[in-house]
Amino acid sequence: MYSAELLKGTLSTIILKLLAEHGKMYGYEIAQCVRQLSDERILIKEGSLYPALHKLKDDGLVQTESEMVDNRVRKYYSLTNKGSQTSTEKVQELFEFIETIKQILNSKPSFT
Amino acid sequence: MYSAELLKGTLSTIILKLLAEHGKMYGYEIAQCVRQLSDERILIKEGSLYPALHKLKDDGLVQTESEMVDNRVRKYYSLTNKGSQTSTEKVQELFEFIETIKQILNSKPSFT
DNA sequence: TTTGCATACCTCGTAACTCTATGCATACAT
DNA sequence: ATGTATGCATAGAGTTACGAGGTATGCAAA
């Protein structure tokens, strides 16, 4: 498990990307999906996930619909139109940021 | 300039890495160095930089020495032994985290 | 000469984010 | 009855970066 600070700023982008790929997902499913895709290296805690999802909804990027499954309410999240656009943008931005960080971490001091 | 949240968790690692490469640097120099290496894409603000440096010092990862340059005190920061070790570890961790994130962002939904 | 810019240090208050801990509830296995 | 997995959610705490502000020097342009 990575130090938690690294996840900051990337969580909402990850959620948006997963929703873009999967159509609709519920909270627990998102957490398990990230867990699998990261080979257990990124474990999203519920205390992080649900506030993040609520914020995405407040911002109009995702919408919810509740379904009854096994006598329990399951809340599905899916992207709005705005969310689809934002997802693409944020994923792109994150990729660029990663490249920039790698550029810095791979730098050798130049003799100036 | 990237959205600010992305920098979270990476700033101290970047600072440690630069100090590992350059030996000793002063605050302003670090900010300018990151600015150049990132092609103006990452602009570390003083309100972020100095608290981060002070925290690294409190944690025993860097040490300071002051020099007079042009009638002004310039405070140089350099890694302690502990800081060197931590630098290596955190850089490695950040690289791994980046690979994990890329893995997630490049994933396609599987049919399960 | 005073205005602005670059250099160079620093602190305070705030906002944003994630975590731990906790609670509620169902279902199944031990 | 106890644990494990599923599934939602909040409260409080801690960390972190930022904006705004302060202090100070040197130089060039207006």
Side-chain angles (χ1 to χ4, degrees):
Chain A
M1 181 58 180
Y2 296 117
S3 73
E5 304 97 51
L6 287 179
L7 195 59
K8 290 183 182 179
T10 66
L11 179 56
S12 63
T13 304
I14 290 173
I15 293 173
L16 290 175
K17 168 68 178 178
L18 290 181
L19 289 178
E21 293 290 349
H22 290 76
K24 68 176 187 179
M25 300 176 85
Y26 52 99
Y28 193 83
E29 188 183 9
I30 293 173
Q32 295 309 314
C33 188
V34 170
R35 182 179 162 178
Q36 280 182 26
L37 287 175
S38 69
D39 297 321
E40 311 275 323
R41 284 194 278 264
I42 297 179
L43 307 176
I44 299 178
K45 306 301 161 44
E46 288 148 314
S48 315
L49 179 62
Y50 289 108
L53 286 170
H54 298 332
K55 184 170 190 313
L56 289 175
K57 190 178 182 185
D58 290 342
D59 293 343
L61 302 179
V62 305
Q63 57 200 345
T64 59
E65 53 182 311
S66 293
E67 279 183 24
M68 281 304 287
V69 177
D70 294 331
N71 285 328
R72 268 180 288 173
V73 175
R74 179 179 288 176
K75 194 183 275 189
Y76 280 100
Y77 296 83
S78 58
L79 294 182
T80 60
N81 287 338
K82 186 181 172 189
S84 286
Q85 194 184 326
T86 304
S87 174
T88 304
E89 290 166 2
K90 292 194 72 169
V91 167
Q92 179 63 25
E93 188 188 25
L94 182 48
F95 270 123
E96 287 174 16
F97 180 74
I98 284 175
E99 289 311 308
T100 304
I101 289 292
K102 287 177 75 168
Q103 203 169 307
I104 292 175
L105 294 187
N106 284 320
S107 72
K108 302 291 177 192
S110 57
F111 302 94
T112 48
Chain B
M1 184 59 180
Y2 296 118
S3 74
E5 304 96 53
L6 288 177
L7 194 59
K8 289 185 182 178
T10 65
L11 179 55
S12 63
T13 304
I14 290 173
I15 293 174
L16 290 174
K17 169 65 178 178
L18 290 182
L19 289 178
E21 292 290 348
H22 290 76
K24 68 176 186 178
M25 300 176 86
Y26 53 99
Y28 194 83
E29 188 184 8
I30 294 173
Q32 297 308 315
C33 188
V34 171
R35 182 179 161 177
Q36 280 182 25
L37 287 175
S38 69
D39 297 322
E40 312 274 323
R41 284 194 276 264
I42 297 179
L43 305 176
I44 299 179
K45 307 302 162 47
E46 289 153 318
S48 315
L49 179 61
Y50 290 107
L53 285 170
H54 299 332
K55 183 169 191 315
L56 289 174
K57 190 177 183 186
D58 290 342
D59 293 343
L61 303 179
V62 305
Q63 56 200 346
T64 58
E65 54 180 312
S66 294
E67 278 184 25
M68 283 301 289
V69 177
D70 293 332
N71 286 327
R72 267 180 290 174
V73 175
R74 179 178 289 174
K75 193 182 276 189
Y76 279 100
Y77 295 83
S78 59
L79 294 181
T80 60
N81 287 339
K82 185 180 173 191
S84 286
Q85 194 185 326
T86 304
S87 174
T88 305
E89 291 165 3
K90 291 195 72 168
V91 167
Q92 178 64 24
E93 188 189 24
L94 182 48
F95 269 123
E96 287 174 16
F97 180 74
I98 284 175
E99 289 310 309
T100 304
I101 289 291
K102 287 178 73 170
Q103 202 170 309
I104 292 175
L105 294 188
N106 285 319
S107 71
K108 302 291 176 190
S110 56
F111 303 94
T112 47

